[in-house]
Amino acid sequence: MLASLTETADRFVHTPLLHHIGGKSTPSQSGDAIEVFDPSTGAVLTSVAMGSAQEVNLAVAAAEAAFPRWSRLSPAERAVFLHRLADALDKHAADLVQIESLNVGKAIVNTESFDIPFGNACVRYFADLVQHVAMDIPHALANIEARTHRVPYGVCGFIFPWNFPYDLLLWNIIPALAAGNTVVIKPSEITPLSTLFMMKLAQEVGIPDGVINIVIGDGSAGQALSEHPSIKRMSFTGSPRVGKMIGKTCGENLVPVKLELGGKGAAVVFDDADLDATAAQLANAITFNTGQVCCTATRWMFHDSIYDALLEKTTAILNGTRLGPALDRETQMGPLVSKAHYDRVWQHLEKGKAQGAQIILEPKAAKPAGFEHGYYMTHSLLAGAPDNVCCREEVFGPSAYILRFKDEAEAIRLVNSISYGLANSVWSRDLARANRVAEQMVAGNSWINAHNVFAYGLPYRAVNLSGLGGGVNSPETLLDYLRPQTIARPLA
Ligand code: NAD
């Protein structure tokens, strides 16, 4: 049964929305706007202003103006604002769940259990943590009185993708704000709604004008933000293609940058793994958020001796997965995020087939009754040679590619044979082996007997094509937004 919309969510997702600059809802100077769609129905929800360099300039100026006051507050004073924001986000959790599900096409049971509560917890985590950061660290030196002083950078720029708009927003901007920076955000133009709703609540709880600014726009607005001379620190989450461009720009301007990019996670399953538990989590890996998850397991590597048994168990679970509209509480997998992305996933799978992939479960266009215009695709499983495009590059849909291996060395070689380095998992009851393999898989994150493991305090990072410059969700993330400065005085 479809969840009925709360009054607040209903009104919000059907109201034309503008940029948020210096505390004001601001239209584009050009008057440009674009439509925002509901991927479950293919219908237009609302429209949002489309910004350009002009709005970016205004937003950066507003953030610069707000910086002196915000940065001079004590960490405890900023924490009060952030806890008030967390209170408001918790109070409006039901609205946020619906707004995020509607805009992204996420199964509401997942938004309810993961996206919104986990995002909200991030605000409290960094609000508490910042009160315990040593802002001055003395150095024990002969004949010099010296300390390292930590200060916020200034205006930080953030560019986000569409797959986890709410969590990625909070994981990234909250540590920056807690540290005393002010921010300019460019959300994905496809999924800006939860970001704008968070902004409404931030304003209601009194976060000062200009501390958080939002410019909605496409790549050109993102480019203007990353090139802006007043940006002191950049953070980009998205594809490696765009990440490289941002990295280049920041390199030229000598602006520190954090890049959180794509992945092609492997799950290495040994013959002594708990096959039922593994099958359930592998199926979930490609159906959760319709497989649009950067770190999820999409290269499944099964030991020869359990290949058939594990495939059978996983296929049975996948075939029982309920595909449907985001707001249906029975739905386990929603639509893909947009028509353009649906076409991209389809073409990617076609390319894999053309390169000779064996089709274990064929992807199909799906049309749930009453939702025939939504962007639904069934799960798929491919297998074959490791150089297939579907095994080497992100599909970013409900699909996995399966490989066989004979021994530990072969599994590790296969895992490390691609350029991504985001997250992999190893599945075995032999924890000595699991830990040994976990250490040798080259990535920011290695998980044991689980995939997609997130907790505040557990750093989530990337290497190689998956990113650089730090990660999220840990004390290090907060320190990333504090510039260390040495202060020293020779003693007579
Ligand atoms: P994308 O790179 O196409 O777009 C990301 C953002 O960059 C959007 O806001 C877009 O408007 C903007 N952009 C586009 N061109 C730009 C330019 N030239 N300059 C500045 N900004 C520009 O990515 P996407 O399709 O929105 O998201 C999917 C990708 O994000 C996947 O590769 C996925 O793996 C990755 N991702 C990574 C993480 C992580 O934590 N590592 C998390 C989520 C998603």
Side-chain angles (χ1 to χ4, degrees):
M1 202 179 75
L2 282 196
S4 55
L5 286 183
T6 65
E7 202 185 317
T8 305
D10 197 10
R11 199 173 337 109
F12 192 78
V13 300
H14 294 115
T15 304
L17 295 161
L18 304 174
H19 312 290
H20 190 93
I21 300 175
K24 294 194 177 58
S25 269
T26 310
S28 295
Q29 294 188 3
S30 64
D32 289 348
I34 53 158
E35 291 171 326
V36 176
F37 290 87
D38 172 357
S40 297
T41 60
V44 173
L45 281 172
T46 185
S47 68
V48 290
M50 270 299 262
S52 64
Q54 286 173 306
E55 285 70 41
V56 167
N57 291 341
L58 292 174
V60 174
E64 270 191 303
F67 177 70
R69 189 173 150 221
W70 181 250
S71 60
R72 276 200 296 269
L73 294 179
S74 69
E77 286 169 318
R78 285 194 296 271
V80 170
F81 279 111
L82 293 178
H83 273 295
R84 281 188 200 146
L85 174 62
D87 291 343
L89 297 172
D90 283 343
K91 187 171 155 213
H92 286 277
D95 302 322
L96 280 159
V97 161
Q98 297 190 343
I99 290 167
E100 188 80 331
S101 292
L102 261 182
N103 193 182
V104 191
K106 286 173 186 277
I108 192 163
V109 288
N110 293 146
T111 336
E112 221 166 50
S113 60
F114 177 70
D115 299 63
I116 304 306
F118 195 59
N120 293 357
C122 174
V123 185
R124 297 199 196 276
Y125 173 73
F126 284 110
D128 290 340
L129 193 65
V130 73
Q131 297 176 68
H132 303 284
V133 171
M135 294 297 177
D136 285 283
I137 303 141
H139 299 293
L141 301 171
N143 297 322
I144 305 177
E145 180 191 77
R147 65 193 159 101
T148 290
H149 181 56
R150 288 187 169 132
V151 278
Y153 280 80
V155 181
C156 299
F158 294 85
I159 301 174
F160 293 114
W162 46 257
N163 61 335
F164 286 91
Y166 188 69
D167 282 356
L168 294 172
L169 168 78
L170 298 174
W171 293 359
N172 286 280
I173 68 161
I174 297 297
L177 292 169
N181 302 279
T182 55
V183 305
V184 177
I185 301 159
K186 197 215 73 73
S188 164
E189 62 277 27
I190 307 171
T191 57
L193 300 188
S194 58
T195 302
L196 291 164
F197 193 77
M198 182 284 305
M199 185 70 247
K200 174 177 128 65
L201 298 182
Q203 195 168 30
E204 280 172 20
V205 301
I207 293 194
D209 293 349
V211 170
I212 308 175
N213 305 275
I214 299 170
V215 176
I216 315 153
D218 59 15
S220 63
Q223 190 179 341
L225 180 58
S226 66
E227 288 172 350
H228 198 291
S230 297
I231 291 290
K232 299 295 182 213
R233 203 177 161 97
M234 243 346 266
S235 161
F236 171 82
T237 312
S239 62
R241 182 185 67 82
V242 179
K244 284 180 188 176
M245 293 196 263
I246 307 267
K248 195 169 169 195
T249 302
C250 290
E252 275 166 8
N253 295 343
L254 299 178
V255 169
V257 62
K258 185 178 292 218
L259 302 173
E260 301 280 336
L261 311 177
K264 191 78 194 170
V268 177
V269 189
F270 283 96
D271 46 356
D272 63 345
D274 175 340
L275 295 193
D276 289 312
T278 309
Q281 288 210 42
L282 289 183
N284 187 57
I286 61 165
T287 54
F288 177 67
N289 211 33
T290 322
Q292 303 162 123
V293 183
C294 52
C295 55
T296 206
T298 54
R299 288 187 299 152
W300 297 354
M301 301 178 188
F302 296 172
H303 188 267
D304 232 356
S305 65
I306 46 105
Y307 186 97
D308 292 332
L310 184 55
L311 183 56
E312 193 181 324
K313 285 177 191 289
T314 314
T315 306
I317 298 170
L318 281 170
N319 288 343
T321 301
R322 178 111 183 235
L323 176 64
L327 291 189
D328 187 336
R329 304 199 65 80
E330 302 290 311
T331 292
Q332 292 169 294
M333 181 168 95
L336 290 161
V337 74
S338 67
K339 177 68 172 69
H341 187 60
Y342 178 98
D343 292 342
R344 239 183 342 255
V345 171
W346 197 260
Q347 281 158 19
H348 199 116
L349 293 170
E350 287 297 321
K351 214 162 141 190
K353 285 193 228 171
Q355 287 183 7
Q358 176 199 344
I359 311 301
I360 297 172
L361 286 176
E362 177 94 33
K364 294 191 195 79
K367 300 204 178 298
F371 294 88
E372 290 79 5
H373 299 293
Y375 317 129
Y376 300 94
M377 187 185 293
T378 63
H379 52 269
S380 58
L381 293 179
L382 281 63
D387 60 352
N388 187 283
V389 67
C390 289
C391 188
R392 302 190 67 80
E393 288 172 25
E394 272 188 306
V395 176
F396 227 55
S399 187
Y401 196 96
I402 315 181
L403 300 168
R404 286 173 189 269
F405 69 90
K406 287 195 175 54
D407 56 30
E408 204 173 301
E410 185 185 17
I412 292 166
R413 187 178 51 72
L414 283 170
V415 172
N416 294 337
S417 66
I418 60 167
S419 321
Y420 289 104
L422 192 49
N424 302 302
S425 57
V426 51
W427 305 71
S428 169
R429 286 192 171 91
D430 176 348
L431 293 184
R433 169 163 69 184
N435 276 284
R436 190 168 62 234
V437 172
E439 286 173 13
Q440 292 177 75
M441 299 189 295
V442 179
N445 312 280
S446 279
W447 295 312
I448 295 176
N449 294 335
H451 205 102
N452 296 333
V453 181
F454 286 88
Y456 296 114
L458 179 66
Y460 171 76
R461 330 183 165 88
V463 293
N464 298 338
L465 193 59
S466 295
L468 53 77
V472 289
N473 296 349
S474 78
E476 292 163 23
T477 318
L478 187 54
L479 296 184
D480 287 342
Y481 288 96
L482 286 163
R483 177 173 63 78
Q485 181 164 345
T486 306
I487 298 177
R489 179 176 70 94
L491 299 171

Coordinates of all heavy atoms in Angstrom, one line a residue, residues 159-164 168 171-172 186-190 217-226 234 236-243 245-246 249 259-263 292-295 341 344 394 396 420 422 454 460-462 466-467 472, ligand 1:
I159 N 30.0 19.7 -3.9 CA 29.2 19.3 -5.1 C 28.8 17.8 -4.9 O 29.6 17.0 -4.5 CB 30.0 19.4 -6.4 CG1 30.5 20.8 -6.6 CG2 29.2 18.9 -7.6 CD1 31.4 21.1 -7.8
F160 N 27.5 17.5 -5.1 CA 27.0 16.2 -4.7 C 26.3 15.5 -5.9 O 25.7 16.2 -6.8 CB 26.0 16.3 -3.6 CG 26.6 16.8 -2.3 CD1 26.3 18.0 -1.7 CD2 27.5 16.0 -1.7 CE1 26.9 18.4 -0.5 CE2 28.1 16.4 -0.5 CZ 27.8 17.6 0.1
P161 N 26.3 14.2 -5.8 CA 25.6 13.4 -6.9 C 24.1 13.1 -6.4 O 23.7 13.7 -5.4 CB 26.4 12.1 -6.9 CG 26.8 11.9 -5.5 CD 27.0 13.3 -4.9
W162 N 23.4 12.3 -7.1 CA 22.0 12.1 -6.9 C 21.6 10.9 -6.1 O 20.5 10.7 -5.8 CB 21.2 12.1 -8.2 CG 21.9 11.2 -9.3 CD1 22.6 11.7 -10.3 CD2 21.9 9.8 -9.3 NE1 23.1 10.6 -11.0 CE2 22.6 9.4 -10.4 CE3 21.3 8.8 -8.6 CZ2 22.8 8.1 -10.8 CZ3 21.5 7.5 -8.9 CH2 22.3 7.1 -10.0
N163 N 22.6 10.0 -5.8 CA 22.2 8.7 -5.3 C 21.9 8.6 -3.8 O 21.0 7.9 -3.3 CB 23.2 7.6 -5.7 CG 24.5 7.8 -5.1 OD1 24.9 8.9 -4.8 ND2 25.3 6.7 -4.9
F164 N 22.6 9.4 -3.0 CA 22.3 9.5 -1.5 C 22.3 11.0 -1.2 O 23.2 11.5 -0.4 CB 23.3 8.8 -0.7 CG 23.1 7.3 -0.7 CD1 23.8 6.5 -1.6 CD2 22.2 6.7 0.2 CE1 23.6 5.1 -1.7 CE2 22.0 5.3 0.1 CZ 22.7 4.5 -0.8
L168 N 24.9 12.1 1.9 CA 26.2 12.7 1.4 C 26.3 14.1 1.8 O 27.3 14.6 2.2 CB 26.3 12.5 -0.1 CG 26.4 11.0 -0.5 CD1 26.3 10.9 -2.0 CD2 27.7 10.4 0.0
W171 N 27.0 14.1 5.7 CA 28.4 13.5 6.0 C 29.5 14.6 5.7 O 30.5 14.6 6.3 CB 28.6 12.3 5.1 CG 27.8 11.1 5.4 CD1 26.8 11.0 6.4 CD2 27.9 9.9 4.7 NE1 26.3 9.7 6.3 CE2 26.9 9.0 5.3 CE3 28.6 9.4 3.7 CZ2 26.7 7.7 4.9 CZ3 28.4 8.1 3.3 CH2 27.5 7.2 3.9
N172 N 29.2 15.4 4.7 CA 30.2 16.3 4.2 C 30.1 17.7 4.8 O 31.1 18.3 5.2 CB 30.2 16.3 2.7 CG 30.9 15.0 2.1 OD1 32.1 14.9 2.0 ND2 30.0 14.1 1.7
K186 N 26.3 22.7 -4.1 CA 25.6 22.5 -5.3 C 25.1 21.1 -5.3 O 25.9 20.1 -5.6 CB 26.5 22.8 -6.5 CG 25.6 22.9 -7.8 CD 26.2 22.4 -9.1 CE 26.2 21.0 -9.3 NZ 24.9 20.3 -9.6
P187 N 23.8 20.9 -5.0 CA 23.3 19.5 -5.1 C 23.1 19.1 -6.5 O 23.2 19.9 -7.4 CB 21.9 19.6 -4.4 CG 21.5 21.0 -4.6 CD 22.8 21.9 -4.7
S188 N 22.8 17.8 -6.7 CA 22.5 17.3 -8.1 C 21.2 18.0 -8.5 O 20.3 18.1 -7.7 CB 22.3 15.8 -8.1 OG 21.6 15.5 -9.3
E189 N 21.2 18.4 -9.7 CA 19.9 19.1 -10.2 C 18.8 18.2 -10.3 O 17.6 18.6 -10.3 CB 20.2 19.8 -11.6 CG 20.6 18.9 -12.7 CD 22.1 18.5 -12.7 OE1 22.7 18.4 -11.7 OE2 22.6 18.1 -13.8
I190 N 19.1 16.9 -10.2 CA 18.0 15.9 -10.3 C 17.3 15.6 -9.0 O 16.1 15.4 -8.9 CB 18.5 14.5 -10.8 CG1 19.3 14.7 -12.1 CG2 17.4 13.5 -11.0 CD1 20.1 13.4 -12.5
G217 N 21.9 23.7 -9.8 CA 22.4 23.9 -11.2 C 23.0 22.6 -11.7 O 23.2 21.6 -11.0
D218 N 23.4 22.7 -13.0 CA 24.0 21.5 -13.5 C 25.5 21.6 -13.4 O 26.1 22.4 -12.6 CB 23.5 21.3 -15.0 CG 23.9 22.5 -15.9 OD1 24.7 23.4 -15.4 OD2 23.3 22.6 -17.0
G219 N 26.3 20.9 -14.3 CA 27.7 20.9 -14.3 C 28.3 22.3 -14.4 O 29.4 22.6 -13.8
S220 N 27.7 23.2 -15.1 CA 28.3 24.5 -15.3 C 28.3 25.3 -14.0 O 29.3 26.0 -13.7 CB 27.6 25.3 -16.4 OG 26.3 25.6 -16.1
A221 N 27.3 25.1 -13.2 CA 27.3 25.8 -11.8 C 28.3 25.1 -11.0 O 29.0 25.8 -10.2 CB 25.9 25.7 -11.2
G222 N 28.5 23.8 -11.1 CA 29.5 23.1 -10.3 C 30.9 23.5 -10.7 O 31.7 23.8 -9.8
Q223 N 31.1 23.7 -12.0 CA 32.4 24.2 -12.5 C 32.7 25.6 -11.9 O 33.8 25.9 -11.5 CB 32.4 24.2 -14.0 CG 33.7 24.4 -14.6 CD 33.7 24.4 -16.1 OE1 32.8 23.8 -16.7 NE2 34.8 24.9 -16.7
A224 N 31.7 26.5 -12.0 CA 31.9 27.8 -11.5 C 32.2 27.8 -10.0 O 33.1 28.6 -9.5 CB 30.6 28.7 -11.7
L225 N 31.6 26.9 -9.2 CA 31.9 26.8 -7.8 C 33.4 26.3 -7.6 O 34.1 26.9 -6.8 CB 30.9 25.8 -7.2 CG 31.1 25.6 -5.7 CD1 31.0 26.9 -4.9 CD2 30.0 24.6 -5.2
S226 N 33.7 25.3 -8.3 CA 35.1 24.7 -8.1 C 36.2 25.7 -8.6 O 37.3 25.6 -8.1 CB 35.2 23.4 -8.8 OG 35.2 23.5 -10.2
M234 N 37.6 22.4 -1.3 CA 36.5 21.8 -2.2 C 36.3 20.4 -1.8 O 37.2 19.7 -1.4 CB 37.0 21.8 -3.6 CG 36.4 22.6 -4.7 SD 34.8 23.3 -4.4 CE 33.8 22.0 -5.1
F236 N 34.1 17.1 -3.6 CA 33.3 16.6 -4.7 C 33.0 15.1 -4.5 O 33.8 14.3 -4.2 CB 34.0 16.8 -6.0 CG 33.3 16.1 -7.2 CD1 32.3 16.8 -7.8 CD2 33.7 14.9 -7.6 CE1 31.6 16.1 -8.9 CE2 33.0 14.2 -8.6 CZ 32.0 14.9 -9.3
T237 N 31.7 14.8 -4.6 CA 31.3 13.4 -4.6 C 30.6 13.1 -5.9 O 29.6 13.9 -6.3 CB 30.3 13.1 -3.4 OG1 30.9 13.6 -2.2 CG2 30.2 11.6 -3.3
G238 N 31.1 12.2 -6.7 CA 30.5 11.9 -8.0 C 31.3 11.0 -8.8 O 32.1 10.2 -8.3
S239 N 31.2 11.1 -10.1 CA 31.9 10.2 -11.0 C 33.4 10.5 -11.1 O 33.8 11.7 -11.0 CB 31.3 10.3 -12.4 OG 31.5 11.6 -12.9
P240 N 34.2 9.5 -11.4 CA 35.7 9.8 -11.6 C 35.9 10.8 -12.8 O 36.8 11.6 -12.7 CB 36.2 8.4 -12.0 CG 35.3 7.4 -11.4 CD 33.9 8.1 -11.5
R241 N 35.1 10.7 -13.8 CA 35.2 11.7 -15.0 C 35.2 13.1 -14.5 O 36.1 13.9 -14.8 CB 34.1 11.4 -16.0 CG 34.2 12.2 -17.3 CD 33.0 12.0 -18.2 NE 31.8 12.5 -17.6 CZ 31.4 13.8 -17.7 NH1 32.1 14.7 -18.2 NH2 30.2 14.1 -17.1
V242 N 34.2 13.5 -13.7 CA 34.0 14.9 -13.3 C 35.0 15.1 -12.2 O 35.6 16.2 -12.1 CB 32.6 15.2 -12.9 CG1 32.5 16.6 -12.4 CG2 31.6 15.0 -14.0
G243 N 35.3 14.1 -11.3 CA 36.2 14.2 -10.2 C 37.6 14.7 -10.7 O 38.3 15.5 -10.1
M245 N 38.3 16.4 -13.4 CA 38.2 17.8 -13.8 C 38.3 18.7 -12.6 O 39.0 19.7 -12.6 CB 36.9 18.1 -14.6 CG 36.8 17.4 -15.9 SD 35.5 18.1 -16.9 CE 34.2 17.0 -16.6
I246 N 37.6 18.3 -11.5 CA 37.6 19.2 -10.3 C 39.0 19.1 -9.7 O 39.5 20.2 -9.2 CB 36.6 18.6 -9.3 CG1 35.2 18.5 -9.9 CG2 36.6 19.5 -8.0 CD1 34.2 19.6 -9.7
T249 N 41.3 21.5 -11.6 CA 41.0 22.9 -11.3 C 41.6 23.2 -9.9 O 42.2 24.3 -9.8 CB 39.5 23.1 -11.3 OG1 38.9 22.8 -12.5 CG2 39.1 24.6 -11.0
L259 N 38.0 14.2 -3.0 CA 37.3 13.5 -4.1 C 36.8 12.2 -3.7 O 37.5 11.3 -3.3 CB 38.2 13.4 -5.3 CG 38.8 14.7 -5.9 CD1 39.8 14.4 -7.0 CD2 37.7 15.6 -6.4
E260 N 35.4 12.0 -3.7 CA 34.8 10.7 -3.3 C 34.1 10.2 -4.6 O 33.1 10.8 -5.0 CB 33.7 10.9 -2.2 CG 34.3 11.5 -0.9 CD 34.9 10.5 0.0 OE1 34.6 9.3 -0.2 OE2 35.8 10.9 0.8
L261 N 34.8 9.3 -5.2 CA 34.3 8.9 -6.6 C 33.7 7.5 -6.7 O 33.3 7.0 -5.7 CB 35.5 9.1 -7.5 CG 36.3 10.4 -7.4 CD1 37.5 10.5 -8.3 CD2 35.3 11.6 -7.6
G262 N 33.7 7.0 -7.8 CA 33.0 5.7 -8.1 C 33.7 4.5 -7.5 O 34.8 4.6 -6.9
G263 N 33.1 3.3 -7.7 CA 33.7 2.1 -7.2 C 33.2 0.9 -8.0 O 32.2 1.0 -8.8
Q292 N 22.3 1.6 -7.0 CA 22.9 2.9 -7.3 C 23.7 3.3 -6.1 O 23.4 4.3 -5.4 CB 21.9 4.0 -7.7 CG 21.0 3.5 -8.9 CD 19.7 4.3 -9.0 OE1 19.5 4.9 -10.0 NE2 18.9 4.3 -8.0
V293 N 24.7 2.5 -5.8 CA 25.5 2.7 -4.6 C 27.0 2.6 -4.9 O 27.4 1.5 -5.5 CB 25.2 1.6 -3.5 CG1 26.0 1.8 -2.2 CG2 23.7 1.6 -3.2
C294 N 27.8 3.6 -4.7 CA 29.2 3.6 -5.2 C 30.0 2.5 -4.6 O 30.8 1.9 -5.3 CB 29.8 5.0 -4.8 SG 29.6 5.3 -3.0
C295 N 29.8 2.1 -3.3 CA 30.7 1.1 -2.7 C 30.1 -0.3 -2.7 O 30.8 -1.2 -2.2 CB 30.9 1.6 -1.2 SG 29.4 1.8 -0.3
H341 N 19.3 8.0 -16.7 CA 20.2 7.0 -16.1 C 19.7 5.6 -16.5 O 20.5 4.7 -16.7 CB 20.2 7.2 -14.6 CG 21.1 6.3 -13.9 ND1 22.5 6.3 -14.2 CD2 21.0 5.3 -13.0 CE1 23.1 5.4 -13.5 NE2 22.2 4.7 -12.7
R344 N 21.2 4.8 -19.6 CA 22.7 4.6 -19.5 C 22.9 3.1 -19.0 O 23.8 2.4 -19.5 CB 23.2 5.6 -18.4 CG 24.3 6.4 -19.0 CD 25.0 7.4 -18.0 NE 24.3 7.7 -16.8 CZ 23.7 8.9 -16.6 NH1 23.6 9.8 -17.5 NH2 23.2 9.1 -15.4
E394 N 31.7 0.8 -13.6 CA 30.4 0.9 -12.8 C 29.2 0.8 -13.7 O 29.1 1.5 -14.7 CB 30.4 2.3 -12.2 CG 31.0 2.5 -10.9 CD 30.7 3.8 -10.3 OE1 31.0 4.9 -10.9 OE2 30.2 3.9 -9.1
F396 N 26.1 0.9 -12.1 CA 25.3 1.8 -11.2 C 23.8 1.5 -11.4 O 23.0 2.4 -11.5 CB 25.6 3.3 -11.5 CG 25.8 4.1 -10.2 CD1 26.7 3.6 -9.3 CD2 25.1 5.2 -10.0 CE1 26.9 4.3 -8.1 CE2 25.3 5.9 -8.8 CZ 26.2 5.5 -7.9
Y420 N 39.6 1.0 -9.7 CA 38.9 1.5 -8.5 C 39.5 1.0 -7.2 O 40.1 -0.1 -7.2 CB 37.4 1.1 -8.6 CG 36.6 1.7 -9.7 CD1 36.3 1.0 -10.9 CD2 36.2 3.0 -9.6 CE1 35.5 1.6 -11.9 CE2 35.4 3.6 -10.6 CZ 35.1 2.9 -11.7 OH 34.4 3.5 -12.7
L422 N 37.5 1.5 -3.8 CA 36.6 2.1 -2.8 C 36.3 1.0 -1.7 O 36.7 1.2 -0.6 CB 35.3 2.5 -3.5 CG 34.4 3.4 -2.6 CD1 35.1 4.5 -1.9 CD2 33.2 3.9 -3.5
F454 N 28.7 0.9 7.6 CA 28.9 2.3 8.0 C 28.6 2.5 9.4 O 27.7 2.0 10.0 CB 27.9 3.1 7.1 CG 28.4 3.2 5.7 CD1 28.0 2.3 4.7 CD2 29.2 4.3 5.3 CE1 28.5 2.4 3.4 CE2 29.7 4.4 4.0 CZ 29.3 3.4 3.1
Y460 N 35.6 6.2 6.3 CA 35.2 5.6 5.0 C 36.0 6.4 4.0 O 35.8 7.6 3.9 CB 33.7 5.8 4.9 CG 33.1 5.5 3.5 CD1 33.0 4.2 3.1 CD2 32.8 6.5 2.6 CE1 32.5 3.8 1.8 CE2 32.3 6.2 1.3 CZ 32.2 4.9 0.9 OH 31.7 4.6 -0.3
R461 N 36.9 5.7 3.3 CA 37.8 6.4 2.4 C 37.9 5.7 1.1 O 37.4 4.7 0.9 CB 39.2 6.5 3.0 CG 39.4 6.5 4.5 CD 40.9 6.6 4.7 NE 41.2 7.0 6.1 CZ 41.3 6.1 7.1 NH1 41.3 4.8 6.8 NH2 41.6 6.5 8.3
A462 N 38.8 6.3 0.2 CA 39.0 5.8 -1.1 C 40.4 6.0 -1.6 O 41.1 6.8 -1.1 CB 38.0 6.5 -2.1
S466 N 39.0 5.8 -7.2 CA 37.8 6.0 -6.3 C 37.9 7.3 -5.5 O 37.0 7.7 -4.8 CB 37.5 4.8 -5.4 OG 37.2 3.7 -6.2
G467 N 39.1 7.9 -5.5 CA 39.2 9.2 -4.8 C 40.4 9.5 -4.0 O 41.3 8.6 -3.9
V472 N 35.1 10.3 5.0 CA 34.0 10.9 5.7 C 33.8 10.0 7.0 O 34.3 8.9 7.1 CB 32.7 10.9 4.9 CG1 32.8 11.9 3.8 CG2 32.4 9.5 4.3
Ligands
NAD1 P1 28.4 13.1 -11.8 O1 29.9 13.2 -11.6 O2 27.9 13.1 -13.2 O3 27.8 14.4 -11.1 C1 28.1 14.7 -9.8 C2 27.8 16.2 -9.5 O4 28.8 16.9 -10.3 C3 26.5 16.7 -10.0 O5 26.0 17.6 -9.0 C4 26.8 17.4 -11.3 O6 25.8 18.4 -11.6 C5 28.2 17.9 -11.1 N1 29.0 18.2 -12.2 C6 28.8 17.7 -13.5 N2 29.8 18.2 -14.3 C7 30.5 19.0 -13.6 C8 31.7 19.9 -13.9 N3 32.2 19.9 -15.1 N4 32.2 20.6 -12.8 C9 31.6 20.6 -11.6 N5 30.5 19.8 -11.3 C10 30.0 19.1 -12.3 O7 27.9 11.9 -10.9 P2 26.4 11.4 -10.7 O8 26.0 10.7 -12.0 O9 25.6 12.5 -10.2 O10 26.7 10.3 -9.5 C11 27.1 9.0 -9.7 C12 28.5 8.9 -9.4 O11 28.8 9.3 -8.1 C13 29.0 7.4 -9.5 O12 30.3 7.4 -10.1 C14 29.1 7.0 -8.0 O13 30.0 6.0 -7.7 C15 29.6 8.3 -7.4 N6 29.4 8.4 -5.9 C16 30.5 8.2 -5.1 C17 30.3 8.2 -3.7 C18 31.5 8.1 -2.7 O14 31.3 8.3 -1.5 N7 32.7 7.7 -3.2 C19 29.1 8.4 -3.2 C20 28.0 8.5 -4.1 C21 28.2 8.5 -5.4

